[in-house]
Amino acid sequence: MKLERNCPLYFPHVLRLLFEKVMIRLFIESRSGPSPLCELLLEKRTSSSESQGTGCGCQGLKRDGAVDISDGNNLKHHNSANVYSEKANETPHAAEHDVLSKLVHLQGGWFMMGTDDPGIPQDGEGPQRRVWVDPFYIEEHEVTNQQFQDFTNQTGYITEAERFGDSFVFEGLLSEKVKSTLSHAVAAAPWWSPVKGADWSHPEGPDSTTKHRMNHPVLHASWADAQSYCRWAQRRLPTEAEWEFACRGGLEDRLYPWGNNLMPRGQHYANLWQGDFPTQNTAEDGYANTSPVMSFPANGFGLYDMVGNAWEWTADWWNIHHNTEEKKNPKGPESGTDRVKKGGSYMCHKSYCYRYRCAARSQNTPDSSASNLGFRCVLDPDP
Ligand SMILES: [Ca+2]
Ligand SMILES: [Ca+2]
């Protein structure tokens, strides 16, 4: 049984209830002078970082993280049908050059990675540290559905979502028909559901298609799928340091790839969420779902959609503990359970997922795939 909107436990209702309780408390306190709670809230409000909610829940999407709620509260782990075999997906052909994204050459050098003013401290955004990256090339936009189709057509590659038979989709994008078939939801983020038949060419389930959006970022690619594509392209996934260097576009200590102002001259610079997450997306930026790549202005390096549109996998394992020691070409921890993703997506809103900043970061298990997660590749210069 799913939690319906008329159920008092339905998440938006709970949120509204909490909000009302806080407002009543603040009203009472305003009559008797500021209390510690009020001062704390005021301090948060005026802080430049404005620490926000911890997320759209997509960092918690795991293939064993979905619980069966079709039978009351009987919690059953959702077992994967198949196990990915990298060997079975070896790619014998290399990509033709003209189907790949244009590369932008970056000089590399020292830059300040992370931030001392973290929007979401528990993500390990800080401390700010001096990091060197060698010169590299990076694709100017996220890998598109067209490019991923070229890859699968040429190699016969089967993605992990296709092997498992499902992938996570944001419920707000599902047709009523697909919604009626759902028996699972993610406990901590009920707006996410594993949908049978959802994969890169059926982003919102079996009755959806990418035909009308071949120039949008490919979604539902797991970390291994992204790696396999980059290998076919004779490229690789960026390290987190390379990705963040690229995101900053040559600017120092700025929130976004273009500066500190989210909407310079009132213009949208990234495909994000406007309205109330997760119930109302006003799509003021023109897009409630993904947008064609390069629909928003490029950063100073000529790179598009570094924040927003689709989240982007990086090569690094996830770790939240960093120090201020200078590092050259850091590659993250030797091992881990999750991989780092960067940039946020069209689902990010400040109230819920303030992660459309260059220093922001999040994670997923490598076999996860979702309707807001994609990637781009990088290339090392000839030695
Ligand atoms: Ca949008
Ligand atoms: Ca992106």
Side-chain angles (χ1 to χ4, degrees), residues 142 243 305-312 342-344 376:
E142 298 144 334
W243 191 98
D305 303 302
M306 288 305 290
V307 298
N309 215 13
W311 275 102
E312 298 175 29
K342 296 280 278 184
R376 77 179 74 201

Side-chain angles (χ1 to χ4, degrees), residues 244-263:
E244 189 168 324
F245 178 88
C247 181
R248 292 184 178 282
L251 299 176
E252 278 182 32
D253 207 17
R254 294 290 189 273
L255 292 170
Y256 312 116
W258 55 87
N260 278 336
N261 182 1
L262 181 63
M263 291 181 61

